[in-house]
Amino acid sequence: MSRVLVVDDEPGLRRALTINLSARGWDVTAVGDGTSALEAAARTRPDVVLLDLGLPDLDGLDVVAGLRGWSDVPIIVLTARTSSADTVDALDAGADDYVTKPFAMDVLLARLRAAVRRRGAGEGVPEVVEAGALRVDLARRTVTRHGEPVKLTPTEWHLLQVLVTSAGRLVTQTELLKEVWGPAYGRETNYLRVYVAQLRRKLEETPSQPRHLITEPGMGYRFEV
Amino acid sequence: MEQRSGVHPDERRRGRLRVFLGAAPGVGKTYAMLDEARRRAERGVDVAVAVVETHGRERTAERLAGLEVLPRRVVEHRGHELAEVDLDAVLRRHPEVAVVDELAHTNAPGSRHAKRWQDVEELLDAGIDVVSTVNIQHLESLNDVVAHITGVEQRETLPDAVLRRAEQVQLVDMTPEALQRRLSHGNVYPAGRVDAALSNYFRTGNLTALRELALLWLADRVDEGLERYRAQQGIERPWPARERVVVALTGGPEGATLVRRAARIAGRGAGGELHAVHVASGDGLVRTSPARLAEQRALVESLGGSYHRVVGDDVAGALLEFARGLNASQVVVGASRHGRLAALFRSGVGDAVVRGAGALDVLVVPHEEQRAGLRLPPRARAALSRGRRLLGWVLALGGPALVTALLSLFPRQDLSTDLMAFLVVVVLAALAGGLVPAVAAALVASLAVNWFFTAPVHRFTIAQPANAVALAVFVLVALAVSSTVDRAARRTEQAARSRAETEALSVLTRTVMAAEDPLAEALEHTRTTFAVTSATWLERTGPTAAWTAVACAGEHPCAAPADGDAEVVVDGTHCLALRGRLLAADDRRVLEAFAAQIAALRQRQLLRAEAAQVRRLEEGDAVRGALLTAVSHDLRTPLATLKASVDGLRDPELTLGAEDEAELLASVAESADRLQQLIDDLLDLTRVRSGVVQPHLVVVGLDEVVPAAAADAPPGRVRLEVPEDLPAVVTDPGLLRRVVANLVQNAVRHGAGAPVEVLASVAVEDARRSAQLLVVDHGPGLPGAAKERAFTPFQRLGDRSGAGLGLGLAVARGLAEAVGGRLEAQDTPGGGLTMVLTLPLAGTAHRLADPQADPQADAQADPPGEPREPREPLGVGA
């Protein structure tokens, strides 16, 4: 049973999430402010933290920073706005993913699962990831579409590898650039646009309506299985 | 001042009274008094406390420790026990110093004296020194002023004479802000005794006015003391303790300028005084315009100054004498109105004043009238004045004759000496009259020399060629000298003119910089500089559009450039038109510079207006941005709860317990309510903002509306005190209900669990009565500026949480204003926030309420000497 820490100052939402997640087999701890969030995280060692950015006492960013000081627990940020500087800041500060209010429960559950899976990644990333007609063999470094092998440049492959390894999870632009191009990069988002477009042309059925390589505008990219 | 105690021809020394004067309760009078008592006791003086009211203030009570407190006399009155000063006991005990708090206190009926100050008088007569306190509002002479400020008449009054007789009056001062802070920290009144209406009395405006009264009253006493001292010590030189400005009026047109200038100086420091004085000549002849003096006198009085008239032949002397008598700090006189030549023969009064001023400051003010004398000198056809030209001609014609006569007296044969003598005449003529008289003088002189002094004499022929050459050279030299002199004179004239032009322009720039309405000021300056009847600034939108007059100085503005006698058009769309006289070409050049200046000024004005407009728009944008943020947060949060709950309820794979299901349903209902509230608020705010709220004003009692509005609050959280006998108000009951419900909801939310009080009363402000509804919470409150910000919609930026909607108070204020009311936030004494809703009463022609129906009952409810108004209005506390 995975443990989740829910941090939100809205009692109604806290209650609804607790009931929903508990009924689906999660071990839920719910708190209403940042201080108790840090305290509860230290006490219960959750597998994932669901964090609302608007808290009465601390800034959501401070909570992210506080957690990152000693833990790499996945943090999913709850935000009330689709594009918000706060969310980007939170992701930059070390949050792993975000969900916009109001959200569908199944989407939230999928994100929670992806986050927990990423955490266990060290133990067992599947060697082969299949998504629709795509088959990505991470061990052999090959990609096939409808059984046909697809040729990728080394950079394209590296990019795809990072995204597939974190399948379902948001990978921020900065994270991708640093991982694929090197630590000196971080702002060259135009590289990402170019390479992701190339990947879509090679991998997606309809590159203009991608189903696997999803853009989260202003935030990053997500590989959906 | 011992001489004042002579009233009592007692053998013994009369006691000395020291009073601590305060502007309001809570400034620390009693504390200061006890400090003083302790200091004296530590010096070994025998001090006893006859009566001290600590009003339950701990820190004051602490100061009482270690002092001997005499027992009080307990009087039974209408079932109340009143503790009064036991006069006999104090007299028996006969300490050196007695501490008697609250000098203005009214004793219980049946006491020996009606008032406590009379007790104190008796103690003083017995040779006991007394230390006491009093609040400024209790002074009899200030009674009506205080009533006007606070709306409450003081019944406990103290004759001014008592306080004046005090040997020392010390002010215990505190800024209104600091006092309010004390109040909100509960240092003045214990939080339990918080009477929220009290905060009405402790408004910043009230406190500032009372403080000013106290400071001014004391300043006057200090002044009296200073005068007394100067009289005793025979000091005549002024001691400029406060700015006292004397302005001298001659009855000339410059008077108004001088008075305004002096008023500005006097207004610079606190308590400055303005005195205008006109020195009339001793012979009784009227040399000035009485109408103008009357006008200036009215001006002086309207500026808060006083007008004096003294008689004396020596104007400067009389003026200075008057100023010294007044202990003035500064004398303002106008710059001399005499021309330069006149100034040579009789110096102006200004100079005499400066010479005789001694230690007085003298300000010589240049003024409009004097400047009018400096108007651009019209460019003369002849550069020199008529008088000088006349003198030149006299010299030219008379000089040679005179020189001839003189030279004839001394017969000698030296032509060069003769020529030199004549040359002097020519040069003099040139210096005086310029080129033409000089040429004439040279001709006349050469003829005279030829006729009288060259051989053959008395004939216009010259025998020796050398003499002819000498005469020719003489004529040439004379011409050269006179033309040089003439040119120099013209240059000087031009320089003066340039200087005047520059001066006029620079004055224009300066006045325009400083002026409140620069355009009007610039036009007025133009009008006076060019000595015309009117100067008009015209503008049009395009080169062919019609002209409109933007501003005009003087009478008869021009409607179009063609109406003017002189006009300058700047870039086709701006025009400066003068009416009154035709301008010479040189003046026109200056006028063009003026017009360019004014055009630039006008442009700057328009740009500034535009910038302000842009700033307003930007602020509007910021508000709209905040709106989006706040709405997105406030709408999405309950939506998220709704959706999460419904998703859980609908999921077929999920089996929920009955309890969980009920909880989810409750969340759904709660979120839906919140959304509804938010949408209501948003719609209300939109209506208020777009001005479509049409209040339906009727006469209604607050007791009908308020309970209904507070009914939605959780039970037991709200305490209502709305007397049924409160006068009715004029308002829209529906909207008022929304306002009150909003305020109550807000107070309950932020009240930290303590009950919210809703108190209705009648408030008096500036002698106008209105209904006042206070919604008092005892939560954390809001610091200073945040109180006003709470009314700004969506003041909560970003996703910052905080239970409130960003809208409630903004809506409440908007609606309150729509129904003719006013909504303000104040500190709750003892901590928390008090919302003050002021509403107009029905038929507001009411006078001040009769302050007291039953004085004694009230005397018990309040500590003696404390302000009564909090409880007075229609028995809020009942």
Side-chain angles (χ1 to χ4, degrees):
Chain A
M1 196 153 74
S2 304
R3 285 185 303 274
V4 58
L5 173 63
V6 175
V7 189
D8 199 305
D9 65 316
E10 170 66 23
L13 184 59
R14 223 155 55 216
R15 196 164 53 192
L17 284 175
T18 308
I19 293 171
N20 266 307
L21 293 175
S22 304
R24 285 178 172 89
W26 291 76
D27 179 359
V28 186
T29 312
V31 294
D33 59 69
T35 321
S36 7
L38 291 173
E39 190 265 329
R43 189 162 39 81
T44 63
R45 301 278 166 159
D47 297 310
V48 59
V49 176
L50 201 54
L51 172 71
D52 182 24
L53 282 185
L55 294 175
D57 55 344
L58 293 180
D59 195 306
L61 280 182
D62 295 338
V63 180
V64 173
L67 285 171
R68 280 288 168 265
W70 55 270
S71 161
D72 61 349
V73 59
I75 301 171
I76 298 179
V77 167
L78 283 177
T79 168
R81 278 171 292 156
T82 38
S83 65
S84 126
D86 285 3
T87 314
V88 177
D89 288 347
L91 291 173
D92 284 347
D96 296 86
D97 208 340
Y98 76 101
V99 178
T100 308
K101 288 181 186 176
F103 46 82
M105 271 316 287
D106 50 355
V107 172
L108 178 70
L109 287 164
R111 298 282 162 83
L112 283 172
R113 280 196 301 270
V116 174
R117 197 169 54 235
R118 202 251 328 167
R119 189 164 200 219
E123 295 141 33
V125 179
E127 285 190 3
V128 178
V129 175
E130 295 203 31
L134 285 181
R135 189 170 184 282
V136 184
D137 191 329
L138 290 169
R140 295 186 190 168
R141 304 168 68 92
T142 59
V143 185
T144 57
R145 197 175 131 213
H146 297 300
E148 298 282 316
V150 182
K151 279 203 158 187
L152 295 182
T153 67
T155 308
E156 285 168 0
W157 169 256
H158 200 164
L159 190 61
L160 182 67
Q161 189 190 24
V162 173
L163 285 172
V164 167
T165 318
S166 320
R169 190 177 73 85
L170 171 77
V171 186
T172 65
Q173 295 170 337
T174 327
E175 211 178 317
L176 274 175
L177 284 166
K178 286 197 191 315
E179 183 68 34
V180 179
W181 275 270
Y185 294 79
R187 302 189 161 277
E188 295 77 357
T189 52
N190 52 327
Y191 292 15
L192 290 175
R193 276 204 299 282
V194 171
Y195 278 91
V196 169
Q198 286 173 12
L199 274 178
R200 280 188 187 137
R201 273 200 295 280
K202 291 180 179 176
L203 303 180
E204 296 277 3
E205 297 290 331
T206 330
S208 56
Q209 292 168 339
R211 291 187 47 224
H212 305 296
L213 291 161
I214 310 295
T215 305
E216 300 274 358
M219 309 272 181
Y221 298 88
R222 188 193 301 280
F223 185 83
E224 295 279 5
V225 177
Chain B
M1 305 292 131
E2 291 295 310
Q3 78 277 9
R4 294 185 165 240
S5 56
V7 187
H8 298 268
D10 211 316
E11 280 296 302
R12 277 176 303 181
R13 182 190 74 96
R14 186 176 143 88
R16 282 172 304 203
L17 176 62
R18 177 162 191 188
V19 180
F20 289 87
L21 174 72
V27 294
K29 296 179 302 296
T30 304
Y31 192 89
M33 173 182 72
L34 289 175
D35 258 359
E36 170 70 17
R38 287 175 80 99
R39 257 198 305 281
R40 294 199 192 184
E42 277 161 20
R43 279 204 306 265
V45 178
D46 179 21
V47 178
V49 176
V51 63
V52 161
E53 311 283 357
T54 60
H55 304 313
R57 294 167 200 162
E58 277 175 28
R59 296 190 49 204
T60 311
E62 276 170 23
R63 307 309 295 169
L64 208 48
L67 288 171
E68 179 189 351
V69 182
L70 298 177
R72 294 210 230 167
R73 190 169 53 89
V74 177
V75 183
E76 168 98 11
H77 179 72
R78 293 197 196 176
H80 297 299
E81 289 197 341
L82 306 173
E84 299 293 353
V85 176
D86 191 342
L87 196 53
D88 292 324
V90 181
L91 288 171
R92 261 199 313 279
R93 164 75 178 69
H94 208 285
E96 282 177 73
V97 177
V99 177
V100 184
D101 208 359
E102 300 287 1
L103 204 51
H105 175 76
T106 305
N107 283 337
S111 307
R112 190 181 325 170
H113 300 296
K115 296 280 189 178
R116 186 172 285 167
W117 63 264
Q118 291 165 319
D119 293 347
V120 168
E121 289 286 306
E122 199 172 328
L123 292 177
L124 294 172
D125 286 343
I128 300 171
D129 288 348
V130 176
V131 191
S132 188
T133 66
V134 73
N135 270 331
I136 191 71
Q137 79 252 33
H138 294 303
L139 273 184
E140 206 158 66
S141 66
L142 298 177
N143 210 331
D144 53 336
V145 187
V146 172
H148 196 78
I149 296 170
T150 63
V152 176
E153 285 207 37
Q154 293 294 331
R155 284 175 309 111
E156 297 195 327
T157 56
L158 178 73
D160 287 40
V162 175
L163 198 53
R164 281 176 194 232
R165 273 206 297 274
E167 187 212 28
Q168 291 182 49
V169 178
Q170 183 171 339
L171 184 71
V172 181
D173 188 34
M174 179 172 266
T175 62
E177 291 75 13
L179 181 54
Q180 281 171 339
R181 211 158 40 238
R182 263 195 182 183
L183 200 68
S184 64
H185 289 171
N187 290 350
V188 179
Y189 298 107
R193 218 215 92 185
V194 164
D195 186 340
L198 207 58
S199 58
N200 190 31
Y201 182 80
F202 287 94
R203 283 193 310 257
T204 312
N206 253 2
L207 292 177
T208 311
L210 288 172
R211 185 177 180 214
E212 187 180 8
L213 275 182
L215 289 169
L216 285 178
W217 190 88
L218 198 68
D220 279 347
R221 292 295 81 71
V222 171
D223 247 19
E224 280 174 15
L226 189 64
E227 244 155 61
R228 216 155 48 225
Y229 182 79
R230 286 183 59 209
Q232 280 168 8
Q233 309 290 320
I235 296 170
E236 269 179 31
R237 275 160 45 91
W239 280 11
R242 68 160 94 174
E243 201 71 55
R244 206 168 268 145
V245 181
V246 170
V247 53
L249 297 181
T250 60
E254 79 285 356
T257 312
L258 298 189
V259 168
R260 290 212 176 79
R261 182 69 200 270
R264 272 206 299 282
I265 296 167
R268 216 172 275 153
E273 286 174 18
L274 171 66
H275 298 270
V277 59
H278 171 66
V279 182
S281 63
D283 54 19
L285 290 177
V286 178
R287 298 199 184 83
T288 52
S289 148
R292 206 181 270 141
L293 269 178
E295 234 170 66
Q296 289 167 7
R297 174 183 194 149
L299 176 67
V300 169
E301 278 157 9
S302 76
L303 290 169
S306 53
Y307 178 87
H308 312 262
R309 188 165 181 276
V310 297
V311 176
D313 286 327
D314 172 12
V315 177
L319 176 63
L320 287 171
E321 199 179 318
F322 172 81
R324 285 203 190 91
L326 215 58
N327 191 16
S329 54
Q330 203 170 122
V331 176
V332 176
V333 294
S336 174
R337 277 186 294 158
H338 302 309
R340 207 174 294 160
L341 194 64
L344 282 179
F345 298 106
R346 56 193 171 110
S347 65
V349 173
D351 298 332
V353 171
V354 172
R355 270 200 306 278
L360 269 170
D361 290 355
V362 178
L363 181 67
V364 181
V365 177
H367 45 76
E368 204 67 27
E369 302 314 317
Q370 184 215 19
R371 201 165 63 198
L374 281 179
R375 267 176 215 156
L376 295 182
R379 176 144 201 166
R381 293 282 147 264
L384 299 173
S385 70
R386 239 180 100 120
R388 277 183 64 179
R389 271 181 294 154
L390 201 67
L391 186 65
W393 280 108
V394 170
L395 283 171
L397 302 177
L402 191 68
V403 170
T404 309
L406 284 173
L407 290 175
S408 321
L409 293 179
F410 311 103
R412 81 278 71 110
Q413 283 305 310
D414 189 356
L415 182 64
S416 62
T417 314
D418 301 339
L419 286 177
M420 280 304 172
F422 280 101
L423 192 57
V424 170
V425 172
V426 173
V427 170
L428 281 177
L431 281 173
L435 184 61
V436 184
V439 171
L443 283 177
V444 173
S446 64
L447 290 179
V449 169
N450 194 349
W451 186 264
F452 293 109
F453 300 111
T454 54
V457 182
H458 301 308
R459 206 164 298 168
F460 282 119
T461 48
I462 297 167
Q464 295 167 7
N467 283 355
V469 171
L471 195 59
V473 168
F474 164 77
V475 171
L476 279 178
V477 168
L479 284 177
V481 167
S482 56
S483 83
T484 307
V485 168
D486 183 71
R487 262 224 306 277
R490 279 170 196 279
R491 285 278 139 76
T492 314
E493 207 68 34
Q494 272 170 0
R497 196 189 147 78
S498 301
R499 208 168 46 240
E501 285 177 12
T502 317
E503 171 71 12
L505 273 171
S506 82
V507 168
L508 175 71
T509 320
R510 267 204 313 277
T511 44
V512 160
M513 288 287 209
E516 213 166 283
D517 181 356
L519 184 59
E521 192 74 21
L523 287 175
E524 179 59 29
H525 183 68
T526 311
R527 193 183 69 80
T528 49
T529 307
F530 290 94
V532 290
T533 48
S534 79
T536 314
W537 185 251
L538 299 148
E539 281 178 9
R540 59 177 172 183
T541 46
T544 52
W547 290 96
T548 44
V550 176
C552 175
E555 287 166 5
H556 311 301
C558 305
D563 294 351
D565 296 316
E567 75 286 328
V568 176
V569 177
V570 188
D571 18 292
T573 52
H574 299 80
C575 174
L576 176 62
L578 303 186
R579 179 181 270 182
R581 71 181 176 96
L582 295 169
L583 293 190
D586 281 338
D587 286 349
R588 231 194 115 68
R589 191 168 50 77
V590 183
L591 184 63
E592 272 165 19
F594 267 60
Q597 276 265 10
I598 297 176
L601 161 82
R602 185 76 187 131
Q603 226 148 28
R604 211 163 53 229
Q605 240 179 359
L606 291 176
L607 280 176
R608 203 174 302 146
E610 231 165 79
Q613 177 74 15
V614 166
R615 212 163 32 243
R616 267 198 301 284
L617 286 176
E618 273 174 0
E619 277 163 15
D621 268 358
V623 169
R624 271 189 289 281
L627 166 95
L628 277 175
T629 308
V631 167
S632 102
H633 179 270
D634 287 358
L635 283 175
R636 279 166 188 277
T637 302
L639 262 182
T641 311
L642 253 174
K643 195 153 168 39
S645 307
V646 170
D647 276 356
L649 287 166
R650 288 186 54 207
D651 194 332
E653 293 168 18
L654 226 53
T655 42
L656 294 168
E659 202 177 305
D660 285 350
E661 224 162 74
E663 270 198 40
L664 288 181
L665 283 171
S667 291
V668 170
E670 204 177 279
S671 305
D673 284 349
R674 267 187 65 183
L675 280 174
Q676 187 194 342
Q677 172 74 49
L678 178 65
I679 288 164
D680 281 352
D681 278 348
L682 269 175
L683 290 177
D684 276 343
L685 191 75
T686 316
R687 283 166 59 206
V688 168
R689 287 252 155 150
S690 52
V692 295
V693 178
Q694 288 289 336
H696 177 59
L697 298 182
V698 292
V699 174
V700 66
L702 279 180
D703 57 314
E704 298 170 54
V705 181
V706 175
D712 295 338
R717 292 291 303 276
V718 179
R719 194 168 65 82
L720 288 182
E721 277 182 19
V722 186
E724 285 166 15
D725 55 355
L726 211 61
V729 296
V730 184
T731 190
D732 179 322
L735 293 178
L736 178 63
R737 197 188 142 156
R738 296 227 43 182
V739 173
V740 177
N742 247 333
L743 294 180
V744 169
Q745 202 184 8
N746 191 65
V748 168
R749 195 183 299 130
H750 297 292
V756 168
E757 289 154 50
V758 181
L759 316 169
S761 62
V762 170
V764 185
E765 197 176 356
D766 201 13
R768 268 201 313 278
R769 292 177 6 127
S770 51
Q772 206 170 60
L773 190 73
L774 305 175
V775 181
V776 186
D777 75 53
H778 299 283
L782 286 174
K787 278 199 275 294
E788 199 43 41
R789 254 201 328 271
F791 294 107
T792 320
F794 324 113
Q795 85 284 6
R796 195 189 54 214
L797 295 172
D799 280 350
R800 274 266 147 259
S801 176
L805 308 165
L807 293 173
L809 289 179
V811 170
R813 175 174 269 189
L815 291 179
E817 279 163 9
V819 299
R822 212 172 66 224
L823 182 61
E824 285 159 339
Q826 290 176 355
D827 286 323
T828 304
L833 196 65
T834 297
M835 286 290 167
V836 184
L837 176 64
T838 313
L839 292 166
L841 286 179
T844 10
H846 288 116
R847 284 184 311 108
L848 283 174
D850 182 28
Q852 215 52 57
D854 180 7
Q856 280 310 321
D858 196 68
Q860 215 26 40
D862 266 333
E866 293 298 87
R868 287 156 185 281
E869 52 293 332
R871 282 172 187 268
E872 267 177 12
L874 300 162
V876 170

